[in-house]
Amino acid sequence: GGGGEGGAVHESTMKAKRSAQAAEVRSREEATAEATAGGSSLAEELEFEDEFEDEFEEEDVVDGAGEEAAEMEEAELEAAAAGGGGSSSADMPDDGLNPSIGGRFYRAGDAIEEGEELRVDASAYDMLHRARLEWPCLSFAVVPDALGEDRAAFPHTAYFVAGTQAEARGQNRLLCLKMSAMHRTKHDDESDPESDDEEGADEDALLECQTIAHPGCVNRLKLMPQAPHVCATWCEDTSVRLWDLSHQLGNLHAPGKGGGGASARGEPLKAFGGHGDEGYALDWSPVASGALASADCAGKIHAWRGSAGGGWAVDAAPYEGHVGSVEDVQWSPVEAGVFMSCGVDSSVRVWDVRRKGASAITVDEQHGADVNVISWSKQVNYLVVSGADDGSFRVWDLRSIRSGEPVALFTWHRGPITSVEWSPHESSTIAVAGADDQVTLWDLALEDDPEADSAARGRDDLRDLPPQLYFVHQGQRDMKEVHWHPQIPGALACTAADSFHVFKPANFGDGQK
């Protein structure tokens, strides 16, 4: 059921049946009406207020580095689920549920009976492109570009930076990727009168690659928001490095140059070896230019500051408080002096940069499992989502986080949560990746829907879907990270042990494409 060569792949979406399970999160409008004006600085008071008050297709590869070049994998899109015939998206209700498709909805971990096979519902995607790289990538980032905001017209172009997990340490690379000619892959029985991509719908996408040597496996990478060509990497050799990728990205931007040249062996802008243990937690501040936080498996968090002349200084004294590994860090989207962390001690913590001895707020999630990842909403700056090793993820309201009670708790995933990220376009929408080979998309504003209940009546496979779950993407093995594209509403990319996918659900934005 994975995405391997020659295997059947299932990427399926269903608008979630509206079950009794609900997790109530106040809407932005309600929060606006209830928020208190004139809130104090987070760094001063740590009181959290709303600042507003409230077809697989085979991809053509341009080889940029010989053996480092990406190989692309071909798979055929099927128009129906296992054992059934196809149906046009015109037959689907507005909420995206398509009960007329034969077979059953497959949830990762379900048993596959004799005679069953997994097939994709092609109508679930407006766009779906898959690439197989030479080595797996544990981490990647979307590179902002100058092609415009809120892009809807196909074909799409996107830029990424990814870090490899190669078999030998000396084979590792930072990959600067350009994926272009990403056409609409959804083929309906009736042509879309608003589509501008009819002529190129059957063309393959183009992948171009520029690389730079990296001295070991890339555990995690992040791009500096104020200067996206500056990339921070956590390496398996216990060091954190900063890289200037302007040359590689510049080659990708220049027509016809993306495939030329061998792997570069540039020197990092900065290397810090003071952690003493390897780590995964890494984040740039979106507020303070050049501010970086890196945390290791020994529980220590170091703060980086941009210095005069374009350099960086790293505080020798770490922030300490976690018992065991710090798994993730996130800077506040509005306050230069506040960041959060999570770790294997089951805790989520809020830090004031002026206090290194202890976190300002500590919340024990009380499940006894690692808290692997966190994401701080940039649209509603008092909301944070955390994902744990037991497959659960929680939504926290920072104005009431001291109570220890999340405003939402979901337990859909059957494996550790490996990535969470708020949508940059929909304030109530979250993407979640898990080690159970699923990426799930959630809209916290969705509630029980009698129409969806009626459409799913008699379907045992749809009986217990949470009402907030509106899309399930599968077909990759061992999901690692998922990220929204900030300039293409509804588009996401996901890296896994076996492949790299770029896709756009047909029902993003409640059916508004």
Side-chain angles (χ1 to χ4, degrees):
E5 187 83 30
V9 177
H10 172 76
E11 279 103 339
S12 172
T13 181
M14 292 287 183
K15 182 67 105 178
K17 176 180 179 295
R18 315 312 187 187
S19 70
Q21 178 181 354
E24 183 175 347
V25 177
R26 279 180 289 184
S27 70
R28 196 168 188 177
E29 291 75 18
E30 291 171 328
T32 300
E34 297 172 10
T36 303
S40 302
S41 162
L42 300 187
E44 293 294 330
E45 303 293 340
L46 287 168
E47 293 295 333
F48 295 89
E49 303 288 347
D50 182 3
E51 65 174 340
F52 302 108
E53 293 293 339
D54 14 12
E55 326 180 15
F56 292 116
E57 311 212 274
E58 182 177 353
E59 320 290 359
D60 292 332
V61 180
V62 176
D63 186 343
E67 68 178 7
E68 290 80 32
E71 297 177 358
M72 307 306 296
E73 178 182 339
E74 178 181 5
E76 190 176 296
L77 276 177
E78 300 291 345
S87 65
S88 167
S89 64
D91 298 328
M92 295 175 64
D94 289 341
D95 70 351
L97 184 65
N98 194 351
S100 64
I101 288 182
R104 61 182 174 89
F105 170 75
Y106 174 77
R107 179 181 177 187
D110 285 351
I112 300 176
E113 304 297 335
E114 184 177 354
E116 286 186 320
E117 62 179 348
L118 300 180
R119 294 184 181 178
V120 67
D121 172 11
S123 66
Y125 296 88
D126 273 351
M127 175 181 73
L128 176 57
H129 294 277
R130 182 172 70 170
R132 180 181 288 273
L133 305 174
E134 181 183 10
W135 300 110
C137 293
L138 297 178
S139 185
F140 78 101
V142 180
V143 182
D145 57 52
L147 301 179
E149 304 297 323
D150 297 329
R151 305 199 295 268
F154 289 95
H156 286 301
T157 295
Y159 296 84
F160 307 97
V161 174
T164 65
Q165 184 185 29
E167 188 172 292
R169 179 172 292 190
Q171 294 176 306
N172 282 288
R173 302 287 186 267
L174 286 176
L175 310 177
C176 296
L177 305 170
K178 177 183 179 181
M179 216 164 173
S180 59
M182 290 190 291
H183 292 275
R184 188 174 188 265
T185 56
K186 181 177 179 180
H187 298 287
D188 299 334
D189 292 339
E190 298 179 7
S191 60
D192 184 351
E194 298 182 0
S195 174
D196 56 355
D197 196 38
E198 295 296 330
E199 293 184 2
D202 293 317
E203 294 181 8
D204 296 335
L206 181 67
L207 180 67
E208 300 173 76
C209 181
Q210 290 275 298
T211 71
I212 186 169
H214 192 269
C217 173
V218 181
N219 292 349
R220 187 162 294 174
L221 65 80
K222 291 290 182 73
L223 302 182
M224 181 176 167
Q226 301 85 356
H229 63 280
V230 176
C231 178
T233 62
W234 244 121
C235 183
E236 63 179 338
D237 68 359
T238 76
S239 295
V240 179
R241 293 172 174 85
L242 305 184
W243 305 86
D244 182 355
L245 303 180
S246 56
H247 176 72
Q248 288 75 22
L249 293 173
N251 281 346
L252 292 178
H253 290 314
K257 293 187 178 180
S263 177
R265 295 189 176 276
E267 293 297 320
L269 298 171
K270 171 78 176 180
F272 175 65
H275 274 286
D277 200 347
E278 71 174 316
Y280 296 86
L282 194 65
D283 195 42
W284 292 97
S285 169
V287 179
S289 182
L292 178 72
S294 57
D296 58 38
C297 295
K300 295 178 172 57
I301 306 171
H302 286 271
W304 302 49
R305 303 182 313 279
S307 59
W312 279 267
V314 185
D315 289 348
Y319 295 86
E320 297 185 88
H322 280 282
V323 179
S325 176
V326 180
E327 298 293 274
D328 203 4
V329 290
Q330 280 270 290
W331 285 94
S332 164
V334 293
E335 292 287 342
V338 176
F339 65 89
M340 293 186 68
S341 63
C342 63
V344 299
D345 56 4
S346 300
S347 73
V348 174
R349 298 170 184 254
V350 183
W351 299 83
D352 181 334
V353 295
R354 300 168 301 183
R355 296 175 54 189
K356 292 188 175 180
S359 55
I361 300 174
T362 300
V363 176
D364 188 342
E365 293 198 353
Q366 298 182 353
H367 45 57
D370 302 358
V371 183
N372 296 325
V373 285
I374 49 177
S375 176
W376 199 325
S377 173
K378 292 179 172 60
Q379 294 199 64
V380 185
N381 58 48
Y382 52 78
L383 292 181
V384 171
V385 60
S386 63
D389 231 26
D390 64 355
S392 67
F393 69 94
R394 291 161 171 77
V395 178
W396 302 93
D397 186 329
L398 294 178
R399 301 168 301 179
S400 59
I401 193 172
R402 286 185 174 91
S403 71
E405 294 295 328
V407 295
L409 167 62
F410 298 95
T411 57
W412 169 264
H413 281 267
R414 293 170 169 171
I417 303 300
T418 58
S419 184
V420 291
E421 187 168 283
W422 290 94
S423 166
H425 300 102
E426 299 285 343
S427 62
S428 59
T429 300
I430 305 169
V432 180
D436 57 351
D437 304 337
Q438 297 184 85
V439 168
T440 54
L441 304 184
W442 304 75
D443 186 344
L444 304 181
L446 294 179
E447 300 176 352
D448 282 336
D449 184 344
E451 182 181 349
D453 278 337
S454 176
R457 189 170 293 123
R459 293 281 303 269
D460 290 342
D461 54 324
L462 304 179
R463 182 172 52 193
D464 296 319
L465 296 181
Q468 296 82 11
L469 175 62
Y470 75 89
F471 194 90
V472 177
H473 171 76
Q474 299 179 77
Q476 293 179 270
R477 180 175 56 82
D478 196 9
M479 307 272 195
K480 293 302 182 184
E481 284 188 1
V482 61
H483 298 300
W484 299 89
H485 196 293
Q487 296 168 269
I488 307 176
L492 302 100
C494 181
T495 186
D498 64 343
S499 56
F500 185 84
H501 286 195
V502 180
F503 64 95
K504 182 179 180 181
N507 64 345
F508 173 77
D510 201 22
Q512 299 300 314
K513 301 190 281 287

